[in-house]
Every structure is written in C-alpha cells, then in structure tokens.
C-alpha cells in the first residue's frame, strides 16, 4: 500500500474551514465570516512540501536579498520540456513581477496610448481595467456559443483594432494593436487546440496584430489534454507568453513570472525596462523554482482533486440547482456557471441569500451576464455545503428573480 506524501490523499482536503478562516489573504477576508468564499483564484490547499521547505530554508539562512541569475527561467524550462515537450532558452526570457504586470509591460513595448487591445470575452477582468489604465482602447471579439475562439469575430476585431476598416487600407497597414490571449481561457476553462491557435496566428499575422498570451493556468490543464504554448505555433513566431507557478501552486502572494517570446520577439523582450526586473522578489523565485522542479507530485494530486470536484459539482448542481447550466472544462480550477434562470443578478442573489461568494459574470465582459465563476479548488465539504446553500436559496425564493 502506497502512503500519500500529504496529510490527506489530496491537498485540497487537508484544511478545515476553521483553519482556512485563519488565513489573512483576500479570499478569506473580503467577505463576512458567515460567507463561503468560492471566488478569487486562491486555492484552499495544503502547500507543496518542497515549496514550504525551500522558503523555510531561505528564512533560516537569511537568503532574502536581491534576486540574481536565471534560476526561475531554468526551472520553468525544465518543467516545460518534461510536461509539454516545449524547449526554449532560459537566457532568452525576461523576468517580470507577475503575469498581469508583465503583460502590461509588454503591451507598453508593443503599442502606444490610443492603440487597441483585442480580447475574447468573457475573459479575466483585469484584461479590461489594466489595459484601459495604460490608455489603450479595448476591442472585443466574443467567444462562440460553445466558448471557443471565434475566428470570424477576431478577423473583424483585428480590422477594427488596426484601423483598416476605417481608412480602407488592407490588412497589416494600420495602427499597432495587440491581441491579449488567455491560454487556457479564464473563466471558461477552454483549452485552445493547436489548430485554433494556428488560425488565430494566421489572422494576427495578416492584420499585423501581435499576440501576447496569459498562460498562467497552463500547468492546470487536465491530464490527457494538450496545452499548446502560443510561441510554439506556426505563424506566432513573434508572440510572447507570460507564465508563472502562482496559480497552479497557490503562490499568488509570492510574485514572480517569466516572459517567453518566439524567435521574432527577442528584441521586444529586451526592451522591457530593467527596473521591471527589479520588481521580482528573490524569495518568490525560490518558491516558484521549487514548485516547478520538485512540486510535480503535489500538482498531480491537486489535478486529481480538481477533476473530482468538477464531477462532484456537476452532480451537486443536478441535485440542488438543475436549472444552472455547467459544462466541466479541461482547463483551470474554475467553473463557469450560467445561472440566468435563477436570478437576473445571480452573483448578488447567491451572496445575499445563500451566503456564498462567487465572481460576478458581468465583470468578464460581453457574454458574462447571468453567469458566475466558481472556484473549485476547495474541499469536497466546502463545495458540497456551498451548492447546498445555493440550491436552498433558489428553492426558498423562486419569485425573487432579480436577486
């Protein structure tokens, strides 16, 4: 009989609700104590022992100075080669403080104020706020009804973004523009296929649009499902992806990320200002490198728990909230729920009447109305109680459709 290296068979089941409420980070402190928080992308998880040991040793030895070298990029490159058969040169990467800040620094290199950024909605809310704060114009290209990339919508959006539609010029002759890709996609959990990404790359190349990709959820792709790094796709040689261990190993508070470019993007990566690199914390690098090099057994256990919870959520919804539409997806630990038949504002309805905090679908842009995003990275106990509460609220207030 094999003994689990964790406190339980799965790290998601190791901590009780009382233990989790002692945490002081955003997920467990933003709402009142009687609310079950299944919203922001923090995991209710026992951390990977190698990460804990690496950070503890750094504290013991006083290894808390400035970061130096390619430790993080080398760890990511080794993981990428083993996990995805993706080879890249760590020396050709660029360190950034975290994924969103890295995306914005790349955006500032590739575009200027007034230029357009295309996004496929519904999508991670900071794609809107961060880009608009940099003075860029948002152009939306909604996903298809089955939550895939819509190449026709992207073709039209790229023409809009570059100004070709307005000035009558041909593709590739307009203003600079960037497409912010989410790969795998947040909030839907869609894992884009190589064929889809090749179609995207061909369109972007034809229109002169640069692809910049948030690939933070890449390690959270389900076993047996192929994650395709954008920079490995034919036609995307000038694309740039930003990756991190933060989501997959629950290290969001230890900020660090790596920007990896295709062969035609090397000069652009070098143009990221030196002061950006100085925003990376050395202890964060130690933690993330330990995750990529020694935390794979832990990650695989978490992925088993996430798959279990996706199936459990489907069963719980069928029992307690059959009117909610949900399709388990192969990427991320997030569930995208169509609760429009429960209330016009399901986020507020479930928060006020069930004391369950989810993410408001409207914040994810067009296509988000009537939806909520649920974080599955929790214990069976918490997930079961949350859906039970949600179902009870819906049954006890069937006429309260406006929440």
């Amino acid at each position: 009989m094999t003994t689990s290296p964790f406190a339980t068979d799965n790290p998601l089941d190791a901590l009780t609700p009382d233990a989790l409420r002692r945490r002081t980070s955003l997920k467990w402190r933003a709402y009142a104590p009687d609310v079950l928080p299944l919203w922001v992308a923090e995991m209710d998880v026992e951390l990977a022992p190698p990460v804990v040991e690496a950070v503890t040793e750094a504290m013991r030895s006083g290894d808390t100075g400035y970061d130096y070298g390619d430790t993080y990029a080398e760890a990511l490159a080794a993981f990428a080669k083993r996990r995805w058969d993706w080879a890249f040169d760590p020396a050709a990467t660029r360190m950034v403080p975290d994924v969103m800040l890295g995306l914005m620094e790349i955006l500032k290199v590739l575009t200027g104020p007034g230029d357009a950024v295309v996004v496929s909605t519904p999508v991670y809310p900071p794609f809107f706020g961060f880009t608009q704060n940099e003075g860029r114009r948002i152009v939306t290209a909604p996903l298809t009804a089955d939550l895939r990339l819509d190449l026709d919508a992207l073709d039209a959006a790229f023409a809009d973004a570059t100004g070709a539609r307005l000035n009558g010029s041909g593709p590739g002759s307009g203003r600079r523009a960037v497409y912010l890709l989410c790969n795998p996609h947040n909030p839907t959990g869609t894992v884009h296929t190589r064929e889809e990404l090749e179609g995207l790359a061909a369109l972007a190349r034809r229109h002169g649009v640069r692809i910049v990709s948030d690939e933070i959820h890449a390690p959270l792709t389900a076993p047996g499902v192929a994650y395709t790094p954008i920079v490995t796709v034919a036609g995307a040689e000038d694309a740039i992806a930003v990756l991190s261990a933060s989501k997959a190993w629950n290290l969001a508070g230890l900020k660090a990320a790596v920007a990896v470019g295709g062969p035609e993007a090397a000069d652009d990566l070098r143009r990221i200002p030196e002061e950006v690199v100085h925003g990376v914390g050395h202890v964060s690098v130690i933690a993330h490198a330990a995750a990529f090099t020694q935390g794979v057994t832990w990650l695989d256990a978490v992925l088993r728990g996430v798959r279990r919870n996706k199936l459990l959520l489907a069963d719980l919804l069928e029992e307690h909230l059959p009117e909610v539409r949900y399709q388990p997806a192969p990427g991320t630990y997030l569930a995208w729920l169509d609760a429009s038949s429960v209330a016009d504002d399901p986020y507020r309805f479930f928060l006020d009447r069930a004391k369950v905090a989810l993410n408001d679908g409207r914040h994810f842009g067009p296509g988000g109305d009537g939806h909520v995003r649920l974080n599955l990275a929790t214990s069976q106990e918490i997930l079961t109680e949350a859906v039970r509460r949600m179902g009870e609220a819906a049954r006890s207030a069937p006429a309260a459709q406006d929440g």
Side-chain angles (χ1 to χ4, degrees):
M1 179 176 177
T2 302
T3 302
S4 170
F6 316 111
T8 67
D9 288 338
N10 194 281
L12 292 172
D13 293 326
L15 301 174
T16 65
D18 286 343
L20 290 164
R21 290 197 183 279
R22 291 196 288 272
R23 291 183 171 180
T24 60
S25 60
L26 180 63
K27 182 179 182 182
W28 285 92
R29 289 301 174 100
Y31 291 93
D34 62 341
V35 172
L36 281 179
L38 296 179
W39 63 298
V40 71
E42 296 180 20
M43 290 197 279
D44 297 340
V45 69
E46 179 188 49
L47 289 182
V51 173
V52 175
E53 292 165 11
V55 173
T56 301
E57 178 56 31
M59 297 296 107
R60 287 197 184 108
S61 64
D63 190 9
T64 55
Y66 297 108
D67 191 55
Y68 177 77
D70 295 327
T71 300
Y72 192 165
E74 290 169 353
L76 172 60
F79 177 86
K81 180 61 178 173
R82 292 193 309 270
R83 198 79 167 184
W84 306 311
D85 196 26
W86 173 25
F88 61 84
D89 180 5
T93 65
R94 193 71 161 167
M95 291 288 296
V96 290
D98 65 22
V99 169
M100 275 311 302
L101 290 178
L103 294 174
M104 292 305 101
E105 291 299 331
I106 296 164
L107 189 68
K108 288 188 283 187
V109 167
L110 299 180
T111 64
D115 288 337
V117 173
V118 179
V119 297
S120 290
T121 57
V123 74
Y124 185 48
F127 276 24
F128 301 100
F130 279 50
T131 55
Q132 290 169 329
N133 287 342
E134 297 297 338
R136 273 58 171 179
R137 177 173 67 94
I138 295 289
V139 178
T140 61
L143 300 173
T144 64
D146 58 353
L147 305 178
R148 312 300 306 190
L149 294 177
D150 188 329
L151 295 185
D152 290 336
L154 284 166
D155 193 9
F158 289 171
D160 183 342
T162 58
R165 176 181 285 173
L166 298 176
N167 61 28
S169 60
S173 60
R175 293 190 61 159
R176 294 185 297 173
V178 158
Y179 174 60
L180 271 187
L181 172 66
C182 202
N183 178 37
H185 198 86
N186 174 8
T188 63
T190 304
V191 178
H192 309 301
T193 66
R194 181 170 291 275
E195 182 180 13
E196 288 171 322
L197 294 175
E198 286 174 347
L200 165 65
L203 276 179
R205 181 75 68 164
R206 183 161 65 87
H207 284 277
V209 173
R210 298 291 296 276
I211 301 173
V212 180
S213 186
D214 171 357
E215 309 205 347
I216 198 170
H217 289 280
L220 292 162
T221 303
V225 177
Y227 148 72
T228 304
I230 186 61
V231 302
T232 69
V233 171
E237 290 82 6
D238 61 353
I240 299 174
V242 186
L243 298 96
S244 173
S246 62
K247 285 293 183 285
W249 282 271
N250 202 41
L251 304 174
L254 292 170
K255 291 181 173 291
V258 179
V260 184
E264 296 176 17
D267 288 343
D268 298 313
L269 286 181
R270 284 192 288 268
R271 289 166 58 202
I272 296 174
E274 184 67 24
E275 59 266 25
V276 173
V277 180
H278 285 290
V280 177
H282 181 53
V283 175
S284 299
V285 167
I286 290 172
H288 288 230
F292 279 126
T293 57
Q294 302 171 61
V296 176
T297 299
W298 180 93
L299 174 64
D300 288 340
V302 168
L303 288 174
R304 289 193 294 272
V306 170
R307 172 173 169 74
R308 175 205 67 193
N309 283 2
K310 288 177 179 179
L311 299 175
L312 174 61
L313 176 62
D315 289 342
L316 290 170
L317 290 173
E318 184 177 358
E319 178 182 357
H320 298 285
L321 277 168
E323 63 269 47
V324 169
R325 287 180 287 178
Y326 164 60
Q327 180 62 47
T332 80
Y333 51 70
L334 306 167
W336 187 237
L337 308 182
D338 181 349
S340 55
S341 61
V342 176
D344 291 337
D345 183 353
Y347 159 75
R348 179 55 59 182
F349 179 86
F350 290 130
L351 179 60
D352 291 346
R353 298 180 180 272
K355 301 300 181 184
V356 175
L358 309 171
N359 287 100
D360 189 340
R362 293 172 298 186
H363 295 164
F364 295 81
D369 283 355
H371 288 72
V372 286
R373 191 189 74 172
L374 184 149
N375 181 346
L376 286 157
T378 190
S379 67
Q380 298 176 85
E381 175 189 355
I382 290 175
L383 181 59
T384 300
E385 173 61 13
V387 179
R388 186 199 65 76
R389 289 188 191 185
M390 292 161 65
E392 184 176 289
R395 289 190 299 274
S396 64
Q401 295 298 300
D402 62 357

